[in-house]
Amino acid sequence: MIEFSGQLFYTVIMNTESVVEFLGNVPLLQRLPSSSLKRIAEVVVFKRYERGDYVVRKNQDVDGVYFLLEGQAQVLRSAGEEDSQQFLLKRFDFFGPGIFGDVYSADVVAVSELTCLLFMSDHRALLETKSVSDSDNQPCLVEHILYLEPLDLNVFRGFTPPNAPTYGKVYGGQLVGQALAAASKTVENMKIVHNLHSYFLLVGEINIPIIFEVIRLRDGNNFATRRVDARQKGKTIFILFASFQRKQQGFIHQESIMPHTPAPEMLLPREEMLERRITDPLLPRDYRNKVAIEINASFPIDIRFCEPNYSTEQTKSPPRLKYWFRAKGKLSDADQALHRCVVAYASDLIFASISLNPHRREGMSVAALSLDHSMWFHRPLRADDWLLFVIVSPIASESRGFATGKMFNRKGELVVSLTQEAVLREAVTIKPSFGAKL
């Protein structure tokens, strides 16, 4: 094995511009501006290996992220696991730390003459693309997403901001949160939503405003009921029914017990966990490349998964999940109406899709499309403080998956119960279009 410093190797083989051009084709780095690529090009170290040399060894302390410049390398997995082209690394591929710490998760061996660029861990800050919404001192992005423009007494207009999460269509939680916000604006502030039931009818377009029309079904002394129709191009794409109640004293009991989990401060943020998954060579190459390109999207909710694992969208896993979540930043208002709208927004990020977990396999593309979404709010809560979301899918049948959820505060109090049903299908190529979801 021969090692060269970056500057020496530039003069012998490549100039800086060529290195920058190469780095721009590495999926991990395509989210970075050209200025960052230039700085990375100035600090990388060139390494050469002969066929059969170990590039890294399993459980070896991490020295950095490797980018394959020329040649091929093989990730050696556990005995009994089938060989896959997903673990044969080629030009523009990369690997680094594993998801469970600052060590390499597998042996990586050169299967030809190999040249890599080593990006040392000391410079890892150059890989960061931190959004202003990540700071606790910044306004909540989710609060901006939930803003509605009043058009009439019972009519409001919502938007999908450019920095809002989308998946080629309006995110379902955005529809739930905005519709609940519209309903809440038509109810006296002493009455707070205690349950909602909603139905997803058509795919929403992200570049078109959404008109929310509120129908006042009932206004009683203690309860009020609202229906909200969300429309685009004159068609109803989503319907929500919500019931509001004035605070009252009554009986209290709780049978549900919050499961034991690590505290959220002990867990990695979703973005950092994804960064580790991107560089872990034990995960399939195509999966890592896909995540590397998508991770740059702004995400207004801080998520901490309780049980990190090696599951992907093409590997089977149990139909259950636990994670802590909270809004990024500090909400501007302590009013329960706002906090419950934010929780409603966050509740659809990862829910009924876990019904797919037992059915995933390599080479199979599957999708879950939400059909309906229901929530029951039991106690006051804060959406900018940690809540534990415990999700289980007890059944999938007749192309539909059903999931139930419970949200606990840090005291172990059950604050929200949820259900969701989704249609499950094997996907070929999903191209969002304005029309019926089914």
Side-chain angles (χ1 to χ4, degrees), residues 354-369:
I354 68 160
S355 300
L356 288 169
N357 289 1
H359 311 286
R360 301 182 188 275
R361 66 174 184 271
E362 187 173 352
M364 179 181 182
S365 180
V366 291
L369 299 174

Side-chain angles (χ1 to χ4, degrees), residues 266-283:
M266 304 297 294
L267 301 168
L268 292 176
R270 170 184 174 273
E271 289 79 4
E272 188 173 342
M273 178 54 67
L274 287 177
E275 292 282 4
R276 290 195 179 191
R277 290 176 74 86
I278 289 171
T279 59
D280 194 321
L282 280 181
L283 288 165

